[in-house]
Amino acid sequence: MNLPLNAPMLGSDLPSSWETSAIKSRLIDNMVRTVGKNPDEATSHDWFYALAYLVRGLLSERYIKMEREQNRRNVRRSYYLSMEYLLGQLLSSNLLALDLLNPVKVALSELGQNYDTVKACELDAGLGNGGLGRLAACILESMATHGYPGYGYSIRYEFGMFHQRVEHGQQVEYPENWLRFGNPWEFERHCVKHSVRFNGKAVTHKESDGDEQTLWVDTEKVMALGYDIPLAGFRANTLVNLRLWSARSITDFNLQDFNEGEYTAAVEGRALSETLSRVLYPNDATEKGQILRLKQEYFFVSASIMDIIERHQRAFKDIRTLPEKVSIHLNDTHPSLAIAELMRILIDDHMVPKAEAWAMTRQVFSYTNHTLMPEALETWPVDMLERIVPRHMALIYWINHQHLNNVKRQFPADAEMPNRLSLIDEDSKRVRMAHLSVVGSHKVNGVAELHTQLMCEGTFEPFHRMDKEWFINVTNGVTQRRWLLQSNPNLASLITARIGDQWITDLAYLKELEAHADDESFLRAFRKVKNQNKKRLAKLIQKKVGVQVDYQSLFDIQVKRIHEYKRQLLNLFSVITRYNRLKEGIASDPLPRTVVIAGKAAPGYFLAKLIIRLINDVAATINSDPDTRDALKLAFLPNYNVTMAETIVPGCDLSEQISTAGSEASGTGNMKFAMNGALTIGTLDGANIEIRESVGKENIFIFGLTAEAAQDLRDNGYNSRQYYEDNLELRKVLDMIRDGFFSPDDPGRYHSLVNAILDGDHYLVCADYASYMACLGRVDDAFGSPEEWTRMAVLNVARMGNFSIDRTVHTYAKDVWNIEPLHPFYPSSRI
């Protein structure tokens, strides 16, 4: 069957009436033939699957045509390796991309169904956790929209990370069983499978010609089975495929054990093998957990590299053309073993000499660093790598030898430099995976200007001295198609009515909104949209935690992973201070405020989980106090995910981006909120600095120490107790927490948390407290003037053009991946 790239199809520029009738016909056909239900008896879930399968079919048709065109042109492809992809729900995003959202809504209505009810049946894919995964999803969406040939790779986690519930104020983890009803967006590829090996030993012998040959023998094997999720480009005929690996046992069932009554042993091998793709980021507090996590990372990269090479050889035959046609990008250090895996395959399977294989490898790989905190830079024990992947550890030794020879040539007089730059920390006997990622890549990038500066001046400073062209900055971005067009349709419509729709694929056009920042009618319309979104968020808060809030209050929101450096505690200290001021009558004519916090803590992160419990204890006290509940509310929303964010972000007034300066690489939540008209309160950290430069310092609330000042304070002997003694309000807050005011049933519950602040406070909560409280006072003053606040909000939206993921992807394509778009995107006249 011939499927030309430009063939008309459902979703192209056909009359809406024809589309609606065609959609109804196809939906009914899918319901009968695929879902297997009588349309008259079908549930909303049934209609969701019928619709999803219809859309998947359209995506498959486009994907086949695109693949043929890419093969015909012999394009260079970029492969994006990320341990997580936070996709969110795909139904609305795919329908928007195909220009079918409105026709589908009409078709469902004529069939007696409500689109929003049907849409709500979709579960968020359990493939990610935080900003890393959401960035990866945005990058694939932008690549698809702008026609860049590429693939994403990851693991098909059966149970995601975890489903967060709050029980008695505490985070409790449950399996995130997102696949329990199946995933209608994926294609199981029975013919796409690769055998991944573990353990065994590396045996080296000499061939007759004197060359050494190494064999990896006596290994255990696990099968990686591929699942594909095609991701649509917006109003374009191009897509990007996300290939996920599911772990399968080589031998599913031991009949002999079963017949002998050893029923558990009969399936034990299968259970152990499939553990590799059960859960995202298994708890690594134990050695068994660490081994599982290491094997999971290697399973992912081994299957992906084998798949990339297989595709390359089908098209080009000669393995030595790999650097000309393939770019592989490492999204953080989790996939760093891909470097050693490509070396292994080139040397052992294709007989490429080591030096040539190393040169090829470095031309292929690039690496994004997402953190500079030493405790977050991944390392693995040498002895564990020698057990799990002995062949790769041998190659890492070889790579390190070549690398250190180069270091000694460049720094002949510095005896300490080899120890600093070695891939192996000789004191702890651990492999530094970030060092491996840097050494194995031709380009390394940070994700915000400050982050890249700190990377080049701090953690990777000697590498930067070796080659300044090695490192570049590529500031993160977000996709306006999901975070504005899809999640905030009323604001998107208002913007389009004023400046047209070109901003959807080129966010720089938002700049034209500046001309409307003093237009009273536009400001009124903007405020109306914000209030509608706040009412929607108020309903969500009521539904999730039973807290009734006033939509006219200031919605002050901090949603992100719970971690000490993100400083949810600083936010909470301000809430307690505000509560105390209300109780003491210090706050005259107080501005009503609703504070919302959401995010997950890693299962093994005791202090982060304790912070969640404190948030809930404080909320229970404040929300039930008749003296304050009309002026102050606090809500912790459990199980924060992309779908929840699509309601939270448009309804936000104040975006909390308050990490300790120098600790956040970039952040993308700051961009999403500002793009939707929230004002930012934050430190000069990550992309906050660039946002301030873009929106203007008068349209953002900045407080606290700079990164340099923060480090100087630590270096000169920071004493958090001194701040505690000197600031009466801060002392009262900490005393209330320590003495059990918020936990009368267990007064000592938070002793360890208070001690962590008073005896250490690495993230400088006490040092920034006074500045933060003063800045919040400026926020109150500004919010008290609705017209001026709205003007500031409009200017934030108008000046966010530089924070689109499209700019990020165009930069990667030009400066890192060296790939060209398959076509100019095809804008549509109909929104």
Side-chain angles (χ1 to χ4, degrees), residues 83-117:
M83 279 295 284
E84 50 175 296
Y85 288 88
L86 206 59
L87 298 175
Q89 295 179 350
L90 292 178
L91 181 60
S92 288
S93 59
N94 280 331
L95 289 172
L96 275 169
L98 295 169
D99 203 9
L100 283 173
L101 183 58
N102 289 331
V104 161
K105 287 182 176 181
V106 173
L108 283 173
S109 178
E110 291 179 4
L111 290 167
Q113 302 298 315
N114 176 271
Y115 174 77
D116 290 335
T117 304

Side-chain angles (χ1 to χ4, degrees), residues 144-164:
T145 293
H146 293 283
Y148 289 111
Y151 260 74
Y153 280 101
S154 193
I155 294 176
R156 182 180 182 264
Y157 303 104
E158 187 176 348
F159 295 107
M161 186 175 176
F162 61 84
H163 181 93
Q164 180 193 55

Side-chain angles (χ1 to χ4, degrees), residues 203-215 347-348 351-354 391 398:
V203 178
T204 302
H205 65 275
K206 285 194 174 182
E207 298 287 306
S208 57
D209 58 4
D211 290 342
E212 285 189 347
Q213 174 72 26
T214 300
L215 300 176
I347 295 166
D348 296 354
M351 308 305 171
V352 178
K354 278 184 182 177
R391 177 62 179 131
W398 184 90

Side-chain angles (χ1 to χ4, degrees), residues 197-199 216 291 294-295 384-390:
R197 295 186 284 168
F198 300 98
N199 303 326
W216 188 11
I291 290 172
L294 174 59
K295 293 178 84 170
M384 188 179 292
L385 284 165
E386 288 177 333
R387 277 182 284 143
I388 305 302
V389 282

Side-chain angles (χ1 to χ4, degrees), residues 524-787:
R524 283 196 301 273
F526 190 95
R527 276 199 301 275
K528 181 179 179 181
V529 168
K530 177 61 74 172
N531 284 333
Q532 290 169 342
N533 291 329
K534 290 176 70 175
K535 288 177 182 178
R536 189 162 59 111
L537 175 53
K539 290 180 181 178
L540 177 71
I541 296 169
Q542 173 75 37
K543 177 181 178 181
K544 292 291 182 181
V545 293
V547 176
Q548 188 171 353
V549 302
D550 178 5
Y551 81 90
Q552 294 180 307
S553 65
L554 188 154
F555 278 20
D556 179 344
I557 296 175
Q558 185 180 23
V559 288
K560 52 188 73 239
R561 180 166 52 97
I562 308 298
H563 196 289
E564 290 165 89
Y565 87 83
K566 294 182 182 290
R567 299 204 295 191
Q568 284 88 359
L569 269 182
L570 181 59
N571 188 355
L572 191 61
F573 286 4
S574 78
V575 173
I576 297 171
T577 301
R578 192 174 296 271
Y579 173 71
N580 289 336
R581 290 175 179 178
L582 289 168
K583 292 289 287 184
E584 295 165 8
I586 296 175
S588 58
D589 192 23
L591 177 77
R593 195 184 216 91
T594 297
V595 179
V596 177
I597 302 175
K600 294 180 179 180
Y605 193 169
F606 169 77
L607 201 58
K609 294 174 78 169
L610 194 61
I611 290 170
I612 290 176
R613 188 167 194 185
L614 177 59
I615 292 168
N616 283 295
D617 278 345
V618 172
T621 301
I622 290 175
N623 296 341
S624 62
D625 191 326
D627 295 336
T628 62
R629 62 189 177 198
D630 290 337
L632 181 63
K633 292 286 177 67
L634 173 62
F636 181 85
L637 301 184
N639 205 46
Y640 177 64
N641 59 17
V642 174
T643 298
M644 187 184 292
E646 289 173 4
T647 299
I648 291 175
V649 170
C652 176
D653 290 311
L654 185 68
S655 163
E656 297 270 355
Q657 309 297 330
I658 59 176
S659 55
T660 312
S663 60
E664 184 74 82
S666 169
T668 53
N670 45 10
M671 304 170 190
K672 299 180 189 97
F673 282 108
M675 191 181 291
N676 280 271
L679 302 189
T680 301
I681 182 169
T683 53
L684 290 174
D685 195 28
N688 289 353
I689 298 171
E690 291 157 76
I691 291 175
R692 182 183 71 159
E693 291 171 355
S694 293
V695 305
K697 62 182 181 180
E698 69 279 7
N699 297 310
I700 189 171
F701 300 97
I702 296 296
F703 73 94
L705 297 164
T706 64
E708 183 180 5
Q711 192 55 51
D712 286 346
L713 183 59
R714 294 189 187 107
D715 292 343
N716 292 322
Y718 170 56
N719 181 2
S720 57
R721 283 187 179 272
Q722 191 62 54
Y723 291 86
Y724 166 81
E725 295 293 344
D726 292 347
N727 191 305
L728 294 179
E729 287 192 314
L730 175 61
R731 188 195 314 170
K732 182 170 184 178
V733 167
L734 284 163
D735 288 351
M736 291 169 72
I737 297 170
R738 181 197 60 202
D739 297 339
F741 182 87
F742 301 105
S743 55
D745 57 320
D746 181 10
R749 180 177 295 160
Y750 299 112
H751 282 181
S752 61
L753 190 151
V754 173
N755 290 339
I757 291 293
L758 294 180
D759 296 335
D761 190 21
H762 179 73
Y763 295 107
L764 309 179
V765 172
C766 292
D768 273 347
Y769 168 83
S771 177
Y772 180 50
M773 292 306 304
C775 192
L776 286 170
R778 296 197 297 274
V779 169
D780 289 358
D781 292 342
F783 194 74
S785 175
E787 294 78 11

Side-chain angles (χ1 to χ4, degrees), residues 430-449:
R430 298 179 74 91
V431 177
R432 298 159 167 160
M433 306 311 284
H435 282 34
L436 176 61
S437 299
V438 170
V439 171
S441 298
H442 69 279
K443 284 291 183 185
V444 177
N445 74 278
V447 291
E449 289 178 1

Side-chain angles (χ1 to χ4, degrees), residues 170-203:
Q170 301 180 77
Q171 171 180 293
V172 180
E173 301 91 20
Y174 288 87
E176 188 179 9
N177 193 6
W178 68 285
L179 290 171
R180 62 183 176 273
F181 301 122
N183 178 14
W185 303 112
E186 68 185 11
F187 292 92
E188 182 177 355
R189 304 298 191 191
H190 296 285
C191 59
V192 177
K193 50 190 177 184
H194 300 282
S195 180
V196 178
R197 295 186 284 168
F198 300 98
N199 303 326
K201 57 187 177 183
V203 178

